[in-house]
Amino acid sequence: MVAAMLTRALSSRERVQDTLSEHRNEIVSLFSRYVAQGKKILHPHHLLDGLAEIIGENDELHKLRDGPFGDVLRSTQEAIILPPWVVLAVRPRPGVWDYVRVNVDELAVEQLSVAEYLEFKEHLVNGSIKDNYVLELDLEPFNASFPRPTRPSSIGSGVQFLNRHLSSRLFHDKESMQPLLDFLRAHNYRGQKLMLNERIQSLPRLRSALVKAEEHLNKFPLNTLYTKFEHKLQEMGLEKGWGDNAEHVLDMIHLLLEILQAPDPSTLETFLGRIPMVFNVVILSPHGYFGQANVLGMPDTGGQVVYILDQVRALENEMLLRIKQQGLDIMPEIIVVTRLIPEAYGTTCNQRIEKISGTQYSRILRVPFRTEKGILRNWVSRFDVWPYLERFSEDVSNEITAELKGQADLIIGNYSDGNLVASLIAHKQGITQCNIAHALEKTKYPDSDLYWKNFEEKYHFSCQFTADLIAMNHADFIITSTYQEIAGSKGTVGQYESHTAFTLPGLYRVVHGIDVFDPKFNIVSPGADMQIYFPYTEKQHRLTALHRSIEELLFSPEQTAEHICVLNDRKKPIIFSMARLDRVKNMTGLVEWFAKNKRLRELVNLVVVAGDIDPSKSKDREEVAEIEKMHALIKEYNLNGQFRWICAQKNRVRNGELYRYLCDTRGAFVQPALYEAFGLTVLEAMTCGLPTFATCNGGPAEIIVDGVSGFHIDPYHGDHASECIADFFERCKTDTGYWDKISNAGLQRIYERYTWKIYSERLMTLAGVYGFWKYVSKLERRETRRYLEMFYTSKYRDLVKTVPLAVEEIADGTEEKSTE
């Protein structure tokens, strides 16, 4: 019998070195090709194209492509070329990186540290200038002893890992349960004791009280109300919060007895999720026009607003249900904090308080951006908000304390600005903090870190990337909609992962910014509002009264400020897209794909809902450029007759019926973004039954099972994407059941994975688990937060001073610059 041998996996350096020994001529030829291109960054397709040219038709060299070296090159995310050097940033699996440097002249191969790699990369910008005193940001020492998973498949399942860790920790010895007892004894709501009172001072006393309570409750029918045995339980040491009837109280007692006897992760999570902990929630979303009507499609205003409003409704329902089941008479409050904009352009964004429809206890609180000269009156781009946020956070902190008559139990940030403000308030008040990025801009704009100075005038990424680093490290837990948002896929880097190590030459170097294996990361996917977005087959719920206005929108021959171009053949199916009109959403890209594909133009019409049609109506720099590009495409490709451009539509109810109307045409939805963090419009379309084609870059790649519940398209290969869409409609003509098959599979996917009910249950459980984890392990991480405080004070505050303040028109028609 031959003994099995364990062998160490070769490093990327060793694989390159071994291949160099075996295929010396080919490797020298390949790397010489790279070096011949001069000083630059090469991206994956450049590297693989070079390898394919070397291999050519030579069958003997296929093993070079298929062997260890090919694996290294396929895993390389970028290569820095500084003749005679080629430096590879190799990512063998999500969250794991190697850096290898090859000297083509000397055929020497070296392993580089993160700092060495970043310093080498900086030469692309700084030339040969060397600075020995660059500020390096390294958060790893603060987290070195912190528990975390190691397998990429565990990324985004932080709460499951924490529960396993906590369970083993609680079972360690008889004293290890003490923090759980202290946590339960500390529970109160505005002075009202919850869970345990002073009669229970020790673990033996707790066990005894639970057993006695169990014996007493077994005498009652399960539906007996809590008030019937409340005083008896108080005498035993148990206060309100265990349940509203005998059945629910017994369930909680059984869970805790099981934990005290032998804790397991599932039981611990269930118990912690049911403890009454969250009654007041603050949600922050400063930028854009945040309102409930007439705002969608306005600058910086889109899916995030929809997400938050749907989130609030689902979260309030879940809080009310849990509070009732806990036997408490407490009214929850959810406050969405945004910016008050006096010049509100027909929206409610100039109202301080606005009740959120469909809720009982939730409202929008608007707080203005202020300077020494007063209140900022007009909209400000999300890229220009940075100088106002510190004062805004101070004002918000005071306002929410007054509104809630105390502190919030949970604060949720949204996007970079909301997450920074949440960090400042949580740091000040000690509140449990949750971050939701929605979209981190760094991955949307390639090389925007290295060449940040080229983007600075328009985007101020130095401020944004700094704010992102501070907020993501300050948060107690982070919610993402997809795995890709955290750690990408096999071939693409995740949004958070891109903050692991990067450099802003001349400012600072991040050698360890965030660890995607950190158990603070959790994937919790949202849903679509099923009161608005429901299947087209539900005829009894269809809003047929809106069909006349929808048909006017789609087919009216008049050219107006709301729509231009006409559809000559109304019998054709319609491919449809709806998004903000900015570069990353790639709406003009979709129009160009359609324009260039003769077969697709013969099969279908194209309708897009995006932005303004008149560039003079937009104040957004990027939107103006896209509007002008759209007009140019219409003219260049003579699209009138097969294409309809409708300006942004703000009526969500009609938009829902619009999706269903397009189902009636046997059409499809296309989401062509260069990158999409999640894709709410993808959910909306699929929930209505509309077959969907969506970008393979980002969240939609996880929402859709390619070829089953929809289709992935590569926005960087528009010709192939348009052929894919055309193939679908060709097949629908010959296979009459194919459209229904994709439509039904899309609906099934939504029901299994993407509903607000699932989301709200998970969020409440996360708040409970992380609240406990923060308490028992002192998760404030004082050292980390002091480090972040220094970084905020010494770097961020100086950076925001470089952002020009808004220029506003005053009464006499002149312009006045807002000053701090």
Side-chain angles (χ1 to χ4, degrees):
M1 181 176 176
V2 179
M5 294 182 64
L6 294 175
T7 58
R8 178 180 64 83
L10 294 178
S11 69
S12 299
R13 184 197 65 78
E14 290 169 326
R15 292 183 180 194
V16 174
Q17 185 72 64
D18 290 351
T19 306
L20 187 57
S21 301
E22 188 176 348
H23 297 280
R24 193 178 188 86
N25 286 332
E26 291 77 20
I27 296 300
V28 169
S29 177
L30 175 63
F31 278 83
S32 295
R33 283 175 181 246
Y34 295 156
V35 167
Q37 298 181 52
K39 188 170 83 169
K40 65 186 302 184
I41 296 178
L42 294 183
H43 294 291
H45 65 280
H46 299 130
L47 300 171
L48 295 174
D49 288 348
L51 179 61
E53 290 171 9
I54 290 294
I55 294 172
E57 300 298 323
N58 190 334
D59 292 338
E60 293 183 6
L61 293 180
H62 284 177
K63 60 183 179 180
L64 183 63
R65 179 195 62 202
D66 300 331
F69 178 75
D71 291 340
V72 169
L73 216 56
R74 280 187 292 274
S75 300
T76 299
Q77 296 301 310
E78 64 182 20
I80 308 304
I81 311 300
L82 284 175
W85 301 99
V86 176
V87 185
L88 306 177
V90 185
R91 179 176 171 266
R93 56 190 183 276
V96 178
W97 292 79
D98 278 337
Y99 302 98
V100 179
R101 181 168 69 177
V102 180
N103 185 318
V104 179
D105 290 348
E106 300 177 4
L107 302 183
V109 184
E110 305 171 67
Q111 189 91 23
L112 296 184
S113 67
V114 177
E116 288 170 334
Y117 171 74
L118 294 175
E119 181 182 353
F120 198 84
K121 191 173 181 179
E122 288 162 7
H123 288 315
L124 291 174
V125 176
N126 297 335
S128 58
I129 300 171
K130 184 177 172 105
D131 185 351
N132 293 320
Y133 298 97
V134 174
L135 172 62
E136 286 192 349
L137 191 70
D138 185 0
L139 286 144
E140 187 172 28
F142 299 105
N143 303 319
S145 61
F146 201 71
R148 65 196 60 240
T150 56
R151 298 171 58 234
S153 60
S154 297
I155 292 171
S157 301
V159 75
Q160 289 93 324
F161 173 82
L162 270 188
N163 285 328
R164 291 195 298 272
H165 173 75
L166 285 168
S167 297
S168 62
R169 181 170 166 173
L170 290 172
F171 198 54
H172 187 262
D173 55 53
K174 63 181 181 181
E175 297 301 321
S176 55
M177 289 288 183
Q178 188 63 38
L180 179 58
L181 172 62
D182 295 339
F183 181 70
L184 294 174
R185 292 183 69 239
H187 255 58
N188 71 86
Y189 176 74
R190 296 182 177 176
Q192 177 187 349
K193 268 286 184 183
L194 300 175
M195 302 304 290
L196 302 179
N197 60 37
E198 65 282 350
R199 294 175 186 271
I200 297 180
Q201 299 287 336
S202 66
L203 287 167
R205 176 75 184 189
L206 174 60
R207 289 189 183 93
S208 174
L210 292 173
V211 171
K212 289 178 180 177
E214 181 184 28
E215 292 174 353
H216 182 70
L217 290 172
N218 282 332
K219 302 172 184 176
F220 295 93
L222 291 177
N223 62 354
T224 304
L225 295 179
Y226 177 80
T227 52
K228 297 294 184 181
F229 47 79
E230 176 180 1
H231 297 300
K232 187 66 176 178
L233 262 57
Q234 281 182 323
E235 291 174 9
M236 297 177 186
L238 305 186
E239 292 289 341
K240 287 184 176 180
W242 294 85
D244 61 336
N245 60 29
E247 181 181 12
H248 290 148
V249 176
L250 279 168
D251 283 346
M252 284 289 282
I253 288 173
H254 292 156
L255 287 169
L256 185 51
L257 284 171
E258 287 180 29
I259 292 169
L260 294 173
Q261 177 177 285
D264 73 84
S266 177
T267 304
L268 183 63
E269 178 177 315
T270 302
F271 179 74
L272 293 175
R274 292 184 186 178
I275 295 175
M277 292 176 59
V278 178
F279 307 106
N280 300 315
V281 178
V282 170
I283 299 173
L284 284 151
S285 180
H287 73 264
Y289 290 84
F290 195 103
Q292 300 180 81
N294 303 320
V295 298
L296 296 182
M298 297 187 78
D300 291 337
T301 309
Q304 182 171 314
V305 173
V306 176
Y307 178 109
I308 292 171
L309 291 172
D310 289 346
Q311 174 196 48
V312 167
R313 295 182 184 103
L315 191 55
E316 184 186 273
N317 287 337
E318 185 63 23
M319 290 171 71
L320 285 167
L321 176 64
R322 292 193 180 211
I323 290 169
K324 177 185 179 300
Q325 291 178 344
Q326 289 157 354
L328 301 174
D329 185 21
I330 295 172
M331 300 304 148
E333 291 188 80
I334 301 176
I335 299 178
V336 178
V337 181
T338 188
R339 183 191 159 209
L340 186 144
I341 307 174
E343 300 297 335
Y345 295 99
T347 73
T348 56
C349 295
N350 56 359
Q351 296 179 16
R352 180 178 176 273
I353 295 286
E354 181 181 353
K355 186 180 183 299
I356 295 176
S357 63
T359 71
Q360 298 179 63
Y361 308 107
S362 302
R363 58 194 180 277
I364 300 168
L365 169 65
R366 296 188 179 91
V367 179
F369 283 173
R370 289 191 303 116
T371 70
E372 290 178 355
K373 289 196 172 184
I375 291 172
L376 196 64
R377 299 191 59 79
N378 290 294
W379 166 83
V380 175
S381 166
R382 71 184 189 276
F383 298 118
D384 300 332
V385 299
W386 309 107
Y388 308 102
L389 294 183
E390 184 172 298
R391 180 172 288 187
F392 179 74
S393 71
E394 293 168 359
D395 292 342
V396 168
S397 180
N398 294 331
E399 293 260 13
I400 60 176
T401 301
E403 284 288 321
L404 295 173
K405 300 178 176 58
Q407 292 186 351
D409 303 305
L410 175 66
I411 188 165
I412 302 174
N414 291 273
Y415 190 67
S416 301
D417 53 352
N419 287 330
L420 181 68
V421 174
S423 299
L424 294 173
I425 296 173
H427 186 69
K428 178 180 180 181
Q429 298 190 3
I431 306 169
T432 298
Q433 177 189 348
C434 167
N435 280 9
I436 305 174
H438 296 280
L440 293 166
E441 300 290 348
K442 191 167 170 295
T443 47
K444 288 184 180 181
Y445 297 84
D447 304 323
S448 54
D449 48 4
L450 183 65
Y451 297 109
W452 65 272
K453 290 180 181 178
N454 298 343
F455 294 85
E456 194 67 1
E457 182 179 356
K458 187 174 182 181
Y459 296 111
H460 312 298
F461 282 150
S462 64
C463 294
Q464 186 155 8
F465 297 168
T466 303
D468 286 332
L469 275 174
I470 292 168
M472 66 180 66
N473 280 285
H474 193 278
D476 294 298
F477 65 102
I478 295 172
I479 283 178
T480 70
S481 298
T482 63
Y483 181 97
Q484 290 201 28
E485 197 175 332
I486 309 169
S489 61
K490 184 178 180 180
T492 59
V493 178
Q495 290 188 59
Y496 280 96
E497 188 182 8
S498 74
H499 293 75
T500 302
F502 66 95
T503 180
L504 300 178
L507 284 181
Y508 58 84
R509 185 184 296 156
V510 180
V511 297
H512 190 95
I514 191 71
D515 186 350
V516 296
F517 291 94
D518 195 309
K520 70 170 60 181
F521 285 106
N522 292 274
I523 300 167
V524 186
S525 301
D529 184 343
M530 291 189 176
Q531 298 298 312
I532 294 175
Y533 306 101
F534 54 84
Y536 77 102
T537 52
E538 295 184 7
K539 302 294 186 183
Q540 70 277 20
H541 298 132
R542 291 286 299 271
L543 304 174
T544 53
L546 297 175
H547 284 197
R548 184 172 179 179
S549 67
I550 288 172
E551 289 172 357
E552 176 81 12
L553 199 63
L554 292 173
F555 302 117
S556 168
E558 293 182 25
Q559 309 289 293
T560 69
E562 189 176 21
H563 46 71
I564 63 170
C565 298
V566 297
L567 304 178
N568 290 336
D569 187 351
R570 289 182 57 164
K571 294 179 181 179
K572 283 185 182 180
I574 291 173
I575 57 173
F576 173 65
S577 192
M578 179 163 55
R580 292 195 315 274
L581 195 53
D582 62 32
R583 189 188 70 84
V584 174
K585 294 298 185 184
N586 197 33
M587 297 295 276
T588 54
L590 170 61
V591 173
E592 191 166 4
W593 305 346
F594 176 78
K596 291 180 176 180
N597 192 314
K598 183 179 178 181
R599 183 166 69 110
L600 186 60
R601 290 177 67 167
E602 290 173 352
L603 287 166
V604 297
N605 291 318
L606 172 63
V607 173
V608 299
V609 173
D612 278 309
I613 294 171
D614 182 352
S616 67
K617 291 184 178 180
S618 176
K619 296 182 179 180
D620 186 285
R621 298 179 291 259
E622 197 165 276
E623 185 180 51
V624 169
E626 290 296 299
I627 292 171
E628 291 171 347
K629 183 178 178 181
M630 189 80 84
H631 283 288
L633 288 169
I634 294 169
K635 184 176 180 181
E636 180 181 357
Y637 293 100
N638 192 25
L639 291 175
N640 194 9
Q642 298 169 310
F643 170 66
R644 180 77 150 187
W645 178 11
I646 302 168
C647 73
Q649 297 299 298
K650 301 166 186 176
N651 185 332
R652 290 181 71 208
V653 172
R654 189 171 72 170
N655 288 345
E657 189 60 30
L658 175 58
Y659 283 121
R660 290 184 288 274
Y661 186 95
L662 295 169
C663 289
D664 296 336
T665 78
R666 312 297 271 184
F669 181 77
V670 183
Q671 207 275 26
L674 301 178
Y675 184 88
E676 183 64 53
F678 182 59
L680 274 176
T681 54
V682 172
L683 285 190
E684 291 168 0
M686 291 173 69
T687 304
C688 292
L690 196 57
T692 299
F693 296 77
T695 179
C696 61
N697 298 325
E702 290 179 41
I703 298 172
I704 291 172
V705 179
D706 188 33
V708 177
S709 54
F711 303 90
H712 298 163
I713 53 174
D714 185 344
Y716 291 101
H717 293 87
D719 291 347
H720 184 269
S722 65
E723 285 297 317
C724 176
I725 300 168
D727 289 344
F728 169 77
F729 284 102
E730 286 276 17
R731 182 167 175 181
C732 288
K733 289 174 72 173
T734 58
D735 181 351
T736 55
Y738 188 58
W739 191 95
D740 289 321
K741 179 181 177 181
I742 299 298
S743 172
N744 292 334
L747 283 165
Q748 185 62 33
R749 180 72 172 168
I750 295 297
Y751 295 147
E752 289 172 354
R753 296 280 295 274
Y754 300 100
T755 72
W756 280 110
K757 176 63 176 171
I758 297 171
Y759 176 100
S760 58
E761 289 173 349
R762 200 71 191 137
L763 178 55
M764 289 296 290
T765 297
L766 290 176
V769 173
Y770 283 95
F772 174 62
W773 177 227
K774 181 174 183 174
Y775 180 87
V776 300
S777 62
K778 307 305 177 191
L779 236 183
E780 283 99 346
R781 301 180 184 178
R782 179 178 294 179
E783 298 88 349
T784 304
R785 291 185 177 178
R786 291 292 286 174
Y787 188 72
L788 294 173
E789 190 178 285
M790 176 215 58
F791 188 51
Y792 176 88
T793 304
S794 64
K795 188 57 67 175
Y796 173 82
R797 295 185 86 208
D798 285 340
L799 288 171
V800 299
K801 293 174 184 175
T802 68
V803 180
L805 297 172
V807 176
E808 298 205 299
E809 192 172 286
I810 55 181
D812 61 2
T814 61
E815 291 184 337
E816 177 182 37
K817 185 176 184 179
S818 145
T819 58
E820 280 292 326

PDB file of all heavy atoms in Angstrom, residues 146-159:
ATOM      1  N   PHE A 146      -8.038  38.674  16.064  1.00  0.00           N
ATOM      2  CA  PHE A 146      -9.486  38.635  15.952  1.00  0.00           C
ATOM      3  C   PHE A 146      -9.918  37.405  15.162  1.00  0.00           C
ATOM      4  O   PHE A 146      -9.320  37.095  14.126  1.00  0.00           O
ATOM      5  CB  PHE A 146      -9.963  39.910  15.239  1.00  0.00           C
ATOM      6  CG  PHE A 146     -11.396  40.233  15.494  1.00  0.00           C
ATOM      7  CD1 PHE A 146     -11.803  40.684  16.734  1.00  0.00           C
ATOM      8  CD2 PHE A 146     -12.340  40.090  14.500  1.00  0.00           C
ATOM      9  CE1 PHE A 146     -13.134  40.990  16.973  1.00  0.00           C
ATOM     10  CE2 PHE A 146     -13.670  40.395  14.728  1.00  0.00           C
ATOM     11  CZ  PHE A 146     -14.059  40.848  15.973  1.00  0.00           C
ATOM     12  N   PRO A 147     -10.926  36.664  15.602  1.00  0.00           N
ATOM     13  CA  PRO A 147     -11.336  35.454  14.882  1.00  0.00           C
ATOM     14  C   PRO A 147     -11.929  35.779  13.522  1.00  0.00           C
ATOM     15  O   PRO A 147     -12.667  36.738  13.372  1.00  0.00           O
ATOM     16  CB  PRO A 147     -12.390  34.838  15.810  1.00  0.00           C
ATOM     17  CG  PRO A 147     -12.943  35.992  16.574  1.00  0.00           C
ATOM     18  CD  PRO A 147     -11.779  36.917  16.787  1.00  0.00           C
ATOM     19  N   ARG A 148     -11.597  34.956  12.541  1.00  0.00           N
ATOM     20  CA  ARG A 148     -12.138  35.158  11.203  1.00  0.00           C
ATOM     21  C   ARG A 148     -12.033  33.860  10.419  1.00  0.00           C
ATOM     22  O   ARG A 148     -11.148  33.040  10.664  1.00  0.00           O
ATOM     23  CB  ARG A 148     -11.404  36.279  10.467  1.00  0.00           C
ATOM     24  CG  ARG A 148      -9.958  36.024  10.161  1.00  0.00           C
ATOM     25  CD  ARG A 148      -9.230  37.315   9.788  1.00  0.00           C
ATOM     26  NE  ARG A 148      -9.302  38.262  10.872  1.00  0.00           N
ATOM     27  CZ  ARG A 148      -9.859  39.478  10.755  1.00  0.00           C
ATOM     28  NH1 ARG A 148     -10.373  39.869   9.628  1.00  0.00           N
ATOM     29  NH2 ARG A 148      -9.898  40.289  11.787  1.00  0.00           N
ATOM     30  N   PRO A 149     -12.946  33.650   9.466  1.00  0.00           N
ATOM     31  CA  PRO A 149     -12.860  32.453   8.627  1.00  0.00           C
ATOM     32  C   PRO A 149     -11.681  32.566   7.666  1.00  0.00           C
ATOM     33  O   PRO A 149     -11.116  33.643   7.480  1.00  0.00           O
ATOM     34  CB  PRO A 149     -14.195  32.445   7.881  1.00  0.00           C
ATOM     35  CG  PRO A 149     -14.612  33.881   7.858  1.00  0.00           C
ATOM     36  CD  PRO A 149     -14.086  34.502   9.127  1.00  0.00           C
ATOM     37  N   THR A 150     -11.331  31.467   7.032  1.00  0.00           N
ATOM     38  CA  THR A 150     -10.204  31.459   6.101  1.00  0.00           C
ATOM     39  C   THR A 150     -10.595  30.999   4.693  1.00  0.00           C
ATOM     40  O   THR A 150      -9.836  31.188   3.762  1.00  0.00           O
ATOM     41  CB  THR A 150      -9.089  30.540   6.619  1.00  0.00           C
ATOM     42  OG1 THR A 150      -9.631  29.230   6.849  1.00  0.00           O
ATOM     43  CG2 THR A 150      -8.511  31.086   7.934  1.00  0.00           C
ATOM     44  N   ARG A 151     -11.766  30.398   4.538  1.00  0.00           N
ATOM     45  CA  ARG A 151     -12.176  29.868   3.239  1.00  0.00           C
ATOM     46  C   ARG A 151     -12.977  30.918   2.472  1.00  0.00           C
ATOM     47  O   ARG A 151     -13.896  31.526   3.024  1.00  0.00           O
ATOM     48  CB  ARG A 151     -13.003  28.600   3.410  1.00  0.00           C
ATOM     49  CG  ARG A 151     -12.237  27.466   4.079  1.00  0.00           C
ATOM     50  CD  ARG A 151     -13.140  26.293   4.433  1.00  0.00           C
ATOM     51  NE  ARG A 151     -13.824  25.767   3.265  1.00  0.00           N
ATOM     52  CZ  ARG A 151     -15.135  25.614   3.175  1.00  0.00           C
ATOM     53  NH1 ARG A 151     -15.925  25.969   4.181  1.00  0.00           N
ATOM     54  NH2 ARG A 151     -15.689  25.104   2.087  1.00  0.00           N
ATOM     55  N   PRO A 152     -12.659  31.142   1.188  1.00  0.00           N
ATOM     56  CA  PRO A 152     -13.428  32.117   0.400  1.00  0.00           C
ATOM     57  C   PRO A 152     -14.921  31.856   0.389  1.00  0.00           C
ATOM     58  O   PRO A 152     -15.716  32.793   0.317  1.00  0.00           O
ATOM     59  CB  PRO A 152     -12.820  31.970  -1.007  1.00  0.00           C
ATOM     60  CG  PRO A 152     -11.423  31.522  -0.765  1.00  0.00           C
ATOM     61  CD  PRO A 152     -11.505  30.609   0.436  1.00  0.00           C
ATOM     62  N   SER A 153     -15.324  30.595   0.489  1.00  0.00           N
ATOM     63  CA  SER A 153     -16.761  30.280   0.484  1.00  0.00           C
ATOM     64  C   SER A 153     -17.464  30.796   1.734  1.00  0.00           C
ATOM     65  O   SER A 153     -18.690  30.896   1.764  1.00  0.00           O
ATOM     66  CB  SER A 153     -16.971  28.774   0.356  1.00  0.00           C
ATOM     67  OG  SER A 153     -16.360  28.091   1.443  1.00  0.00           O
ATOM     68  N   SER A 154     -16.688  31.125   2.771  1.00  0.00           N
ATOM     69  CA  SER A 154     -17.276  31.642   4.021  1.00  0.00           C
ATOM     70  C   SER A 154     -17.420  33.156   4.016  1.00  0.00           C
ATOM     71  O   SER A 154     -18.042  33.720   4.924  1.00  0.00           O
ATOM     72  CB  SER A 154     -16.415  31.223   5.219  1.00  0.00           C
ATOM     73  OG  SER A 154     -16.383  29.819   5.346  1.00  0.00           O
ATOM     74  N   ILE A 155     -16.843  33.823   3.024  1.00  0.00           N
ATOM     75  CA  ILE A 155     -16.944  35.287   2.945  1.00  0.00           C
ATOM     76  C   ILE A 155     -18.412  35.685   2.803  1.00  0.00           C
ATOM     77  O   ILE A 155     -19.154  35.114   2.002  1.00  0.00           O
ATOM     78  CB  ILE A 155     -16.125  35.817   1.747  1.00  0.00           C
ATOM     79  CG1 ILE A 155     -14.629  35.613   1.994  1.00  0.00           C
ATOM     80  CG2 ILE A 155     -16.416  37.295   1.491  1.00  0.00           C
ATOM     81  CD1 ILE A 155     -13.760  35.917   0.778  1.00  0.00           C
ATOM     82  N   GLY A 156     -18.822  36.667   3.604  1.00  0.00           N
ATOM     83  CA  GLY A 156     -20.213  37.128   3.544  1.00  0.00           C
ATOM     84  C   GLY A 156     -21.151  36.366   4.444  1.00  0.00           C
ATOM     85  O   GLY A 156     -22.344  36.653   4.493  1.00  0.00           O
ATOM     86  N   SER A 157     -20.605  35.388   5.188  1.00  0.00           N
ATOM     87  CA  SER A 157     -21.418  34.624   6.147  1.00  0.00           C
ATOM     88  C   SER A 157     -20.903  34.882   7.553  1.00  0.00           C
ATOM     89  O   SER A 157     -20.713  33.959   8.342  1.00  0.00           O
ATOM     90  CB  SER A 157     -21.360  33.124   5.811  1.00  0.00           C
ATOM     91  OG  SER A 157     -21.837  32.880   4.511  1.00  0.00           O
ATOM     92  N   GLY A 158     -20.651  36.152   7.835  1.00  0.00           N
ATOM     93  CA  GLY A 158     -20.014  36.522   9.094  1.00  0.00           C
ATOM     94  C   GLY A 158     -20.778  36.094  10.319  1.00  0.00           C
ATOM     95  O   GLY A 158     -20.195  35.628  11.302  1.00  0.00           O
ATOM     96  N   VAL A 159     -22.101  36.228  10.297  1.00  0.00           N
ATOM     97  CA  VAL A 159     -22.872  35.925  11.502  1.00  0.00           C
ATOM     98  C   VAL A 159     -22.836  34.428  11.803  1.00  0.00           C
ATOM     99  O   VAL A 159     -22.788  34.029  12.982  1.00  0.00           O
ATOM    100  CB  VAL A 159     -24.323  36.443  11.374  1.00  0.00           C
ATOM    101  CG1 VAL A 159     -25.166  35.582  10.443  1.00  0.00           C
ATOM    102  CG2 VAL A 159     -24.983  36.529  12.743  1.00  0.00           C
TER     103      VAL A 159
END
